[in-house]
Amino acid sequence: MLHGKKIIVGVTGSIAAYKAAYLVRLLVQYGAEVKVVLTKGALEFVTPLTFSTLSKNPVHSDFTENKDSGVWVNHVDMALWADMMIVAPLSANTLSKMAHGQCDSFFMAVYMSTRCPIMVAPAMDHDMFMHGATAENLQKLKSFGHTVVAPNEGELASGLIGKGRMAEPEQIVLCVRDYFGGKQPLHGKHVLVTAGPTYESIDPVRFIGNHSSGKMGFALAEELARQGARVTLVTGPVQLRAIDPMITRVDVQSADQMNSACLQVFPICDAAVMAAAVADYKPQQIADQKIKKGEQTWSLAMTKTPDIAAALGKMKQAHQRLVGFALETEHEVEHATGKMERKNMDMIVLNSLQHEGAGFGTDTNKITLIWPGNKMEEFGLKPKSAVAHDIVTAIVDLMPS
Ligand code: CTP
């Protein structure tokens, strides 16, 4: 998303400086080239080594690296190199300097030489943030055209509770992405994704599960986020990590829990992609104690779980889209089309188990996309990330303009 973007991260003297390390890491992960400038105040809290390691670039805090070398760091070159400068955290002191053009440091010289957009994330104690001088200074920065990423409320380093906590690095990155990525196809859309298996408890130590790894659902969540969507990923138990900060992960165990989570979030979503392998049945009763072994044979009374996709299909409003998955072993297209129609879906992804390398636990998949009206498109065997790209491209086409 930020591939090829050149970003200066200015870090000033605030305890929140430690969060700037994660911000730099995220920006680099998104493909940005990052150079870090530390103020003298920042050096009291963090070390240049942290930032040079994360940014893979030298870190500057002064005009000279070494007073005797005669070599100086050119603040103008650095400022003109940047596509954006982010000041995070922005202390009350540096805020005041920026508002008044008090150019008394390398950081300020870089800042005043920039021609690129500036984004600032203030961080200070509650009363400092509420002070009239801070409000006036922030107003001044806004009048310069700078973007202010407002601080959050919460517990502050002083122990006080209030406004002043620097926005989380993920929030700052979202603002940067919004700035550069306004043309992303799913910008402003919120998509619900289900992933992984469900575990249906039998007793305190046993459950009924399935072999779903969650890889397809997670790949979809990442691709949707990459294309600009905010994603709520409701996942059963999996050994996977969601990387993109646009993804909010909700962990559940059972079909009932997945159902509640989905019903809660779907009304505020633009689309839902149901990639989870939800158990169709659950034990009628969960035993309080571990069930002891008994007769040679044993049977368990089971009852149906809620059909989440069907419930969302019933709730679906005109602006919302619903995409499902079908894993079939026979009469594939016929069965998948039937499911799509029964559950009021706008598209169904048919997973074939007939092909080696497709299905549960693999890193590849082979799909056919089916739409109402007998329209379909078959794709070749591909890595799940590439399959996710094909599916998300089709979802983009489904969205109302
Ligand atoms: N699904 C769901 N909730 C369920 C069962 C299925 O949300 N309780 C969703 C799946 O995530 C998938 C689609 O419905 O997107 C189809 O799932 P599948 O299990 O193949 O469909 P079923 O209707 O359960 O049909 P089958 O009789 O083949 O099990």
Side-chain angles (χ1 to χ4, degrees), residues 43-175:
L43 289 169
E44 301 287 325
F45 292 94
V46 287
T47 71
L49 185 62
T50 309
F51 289 95
S52 58
T53 308
L54 291 170
S55 68
K56 302 183 185 79
N57 270 317
V59 169
H60 302 294
S61 52
D62 213 338
F63 287 97
T64 50
E65 302 289 89
N66 170 350
K67 296 265 183 282
D68 305 323
S69 70
V71 179
W72 68 294
V73 185
N74 190 328
H75 57 283
V76 177
D77 280 354
M78 188 167 183
L80 296 183
W81 165 88
D83 296 312
M84 177 179 271
M85 181 171 186
I86 305 170
V87 187
L90 171 63
S91 66
N93 182 39
T94 302
L95 166 64
S96 171
K97 289 184 188 180
M98 287 170 75
H100 296 94
Q102 191 185 329
C103 194
D104 63 352
S105 65
F106 179 72
F107 167 89
M108 282 302 298
V110 172
Y111 161 66
M112 293 196 66
S113 308
T114 53
R115 292 181 192 164
C116 61
I118 310 282
M119 193 172 277
V120 301
M124 60 198 77
D125 227 305
H126 177 72
D127 295 303
M128 291 168 80
F129 186 71
M130 297 314 284
H131 199 283
T134 303
E136 248 178 45
N137 288 338
L138 281 174
Q139 207 44 51
K140 201 126 187 222
L141 294 203
K142 284 184 190 165
S143 76
F144 300 158
H146 300 356
T147 305
V148 178
V149 186
N152 295 328
E153 296 222 17
E155 192 179 341
L156 301 161
S158 62
L160 289 176
I161 310 274
K163 201 159 181 172
R165 271 168 75 118
M166 188 180 92
E168 293 306 319
E170 287 89 347
Q171 292 173 287
I172 300 171
V173 169
L174 282 186
C175 294

Side-chain angles (χ1 to χ4, degrees), residues 274 276 278-280 305-309 324-325 339 343 345:
M274 315 303 286
V278 186
D280 287 327
T305 56
D307 190 324
I308 309 167
F325 276 74
K339 271 176 200 175
K343 302 191 189 198
M345 292 167 171

Side-chain angles (χ1 to χ4, degrees), residues 266 270-272 312-313 316-324 339-341 343-349 369-373 375 394-395 398-400:
F266 186 59
D270 299 281
L312 301 192
K316 200 176 74 173
Q317 305 286 311
H319 70 280
Q320 293 179 304
R321 299 291 178 264
L322 180 62
V323 175
K339 271 176 200 175
M340 175 177 66
E341 286 167 358
K343 302 191 189 198
N344 192 23
M345 292 167 171
D346 300 282
M347 182 175 88
I348 195 156
V349 183
L369 296 183
I370 304 176
W371 295 267
K375 198 180 141 213
I395 292 172
L398 281 181
M399 299 310 292

